[in-house]
Amino acid sequence: MLHLRLITPAEQTDEVVRLIEGTVGTTHLCVLPGAARDPAGDVVLCDVAREAGDDLLNGLRRLGLDTTGSIAVENVDLSLSRRAAEAEKEAPGESADAVLWEHLSDATHEESTLSVTYLAFLTLATMIAACGVVLDNAVLIVGAMAVGPEFGPLAGISTAVVQRRPRLAARSLLALLVGFAVAMALTVGFSLFMDAVGLFTEEKLEGERPQTGFVYAPDWFSFVVAVLAGAAGTLSLTSAKSGALVGVAISVTTVPAAANAAVALSYGDTVQTWGSSEQLLLNLLGITLAGTLTLLTQKALWSRQHARLRKRASA
């Protein structure tokens, strides 16, 4: 269930209440006249089944409530109510399959914004991966994958393509390109420093690396894994199963490939630099393509299900 807290101008309250009452899957409706002070107006509270949430949010935005008042949405972790259970049964589809496009847009907007924190996480992840490739340590590689925040901009690009939002696409692409450029440049400096103090050596980078050699040797398996990870990551975002996103993060070699390219560049190894760059681009392409196709499929399936229900209701 989702909990909605709305602030409505007094003259719009009746219209908002009618919309809520006419939406299948809503319950626990409360109206508090004159309770809001900033902005001034009435407070309307209700719960709605997740699978009906997108329709209700779209209706509220069509009324202009996001401009004239306020729309706040929270997840309800536990609701002990027979009426809530009935509302979920009345709503179309399954809650796990529902896509809240407004929530997805908001989440990807936050995760795909170029910020100091984003750059710090990506740079630290790349430096950790640099240690991993030089030491041929798979544990460090996995740790770097988990720290890297690059899936946010990739999901932002996919969301922008599906929703036709060029500003989100541009912001996500900027975060992705600038983020990796800054992280790799700083990692080149980090690699030179580690070499100067004797912790990195060219012999370690060029030696046998059975655990991490894959990061500069792209093949079709790299693309297949990236596609599967992109689909899984997108599903984890749309279904609010954030735990699955951690598994996605440690299944693709974006950050390790960037780190290997940076270390190799510091030693002038063009073969590993180009191979790692190809691996990085292949993974980014696979994740973005899979994320876009996953969202398009979800949108088509959900629209078809709603069309069948509207046809059944009008019959």
Side-chain angles (χ1 to χ4, degrees):
M1 295 291 290
L2 301 173
H3 179 68
L4 272 63
R5 185 182 72 251
L6 313 174
I7 297 179
T8 71
E11 62 274 13
Q12 277 190 293
T13 300
D14 289 343
E15 194 174 13
V16 169
V17 169
R18 282 196 298 270
L19 173 63
I20 295 172
E21 291 177 334
T23 302
V24 175
T26 58
T27 185
H28 304 155
L29 176 61
C30 301
V31 179
L32 307 176
R37 292 292 180 267
D38 184 18
D42 303 331
V43 174
V44 179
L45 308 173
C46 73
D47 292 341
V48 60
R50 180 182 173 84
E51 51 271 39
D54 197 56
D55 282 347
L56 180 55
L57 290 174
N58 287 335
L60 292 171
R61 294 200 66 178
R62 282 194 296 270
L63 293 177
L65 195 60
D66 54 326
T67 301
T68 60
S70 170
I71 305 172
V73 183
E74 300 173 342
N75 282 308
V76 178
D77 295 326
L78 178 63
S79 180
L80 302 178
S81 166
R82 185 179 66 181
R83 181 66 192 100
E86 292 173 349
E88 288 188 322
K89 289 180 181 179
E90 294 168 358
E94 296 293 332
S95 61
D97 298 332
V99 180
L100 293 176
W101 292 101
E102 291 298 333
H103 177 270
L104 181 62
S105 298
D106 184 68
T108 52
H109 177 278
E110 181 179 353
E111 295 296 328
S112 62
T113 300
L114 186 63
S115 63
V116 174
T117 301
Y118 168 81
L119 290 175
F121 269 115
L122 189 56
T123 300
L124 291 172
T126 307
M127 289 180 177
I128 293 172
C131 296
V133 296
V134 172
L135 298 175
D136 192 34
N137 189 315
V139 174
L140 292 177
I141 293 295
V142 172
M145 289 176 174
V147 173
E150 73 279 6
F151 189 81
L154 293 171
I157 293 173
S158 297
T159 303
V161 170
V162 174
Q163 293 193 294
R164 300 178 183 179
R165 299 179 61 178
R167 288 187 179 181
L168 176 59
R171 181 169 53 249
S172 301
L173 187 60
L174 178 67
L176 196 67
L177 296 179
V178 174
F180 272 110
V182 171
M184 292 174 71
L186 292 176
T187 302
V188 169
F190 173 73
S191 178
L192 293 172
F193 169 77
M194 295 292 279
D195 179 78
V197 298
L199 295 177
F200 281 9
T201 64
E202 188 173 2
E203 289 74 20
K204 290 181 179 179
L205 181 71
E206 302 294 343
E208 290 292 327
R209 289 161 49 195
Q211 299 294 323
T212 60
F214 67 93
V215 299
Y216 61 88
D219 54 23
W220 278 107
F221 277 108
S222 301
F223 184 74
V224 170
V225 171
V227 168
L228 296 175
T234 303
L235 286 173
S236 74
L237 286 178
T238 58
S239 63
K241 293 185 180 296
S242 58
L245 194 56
V246 177
V248 171
I250 62 176
S251 64
V252 290
T253 55
T254 49
V255 167
N260 198 86
V263 177
L265 183 62
S266 71
Y267 287 116
D269 185 341
T270 57
V271 174
Q272 286 201 38
T273 299
W274 282 113
S276 301
S277 299
E278 289 176 5
Q279 178 78 277
L280 174 62
L281 293 174
L282 195 63
N283 277 270
L284 295 178
L285 175 63
I287 293 172
T288 305
L289 178 63
T292 302
L293 292 176
T294 300
L295 289 176
L296 286 172
T297 301
Q298 287 181 290
K299 186 175 183 178
L301 292 175
W302 198 250
S303 297
R304 184 177 301 177
Q305 183 174 12
H306 275 261
R308 287 199 304 265
L309 287 169
R310 284 193 295 267
K311 184 177 180 180
R312 187 187 307 169
S314 61

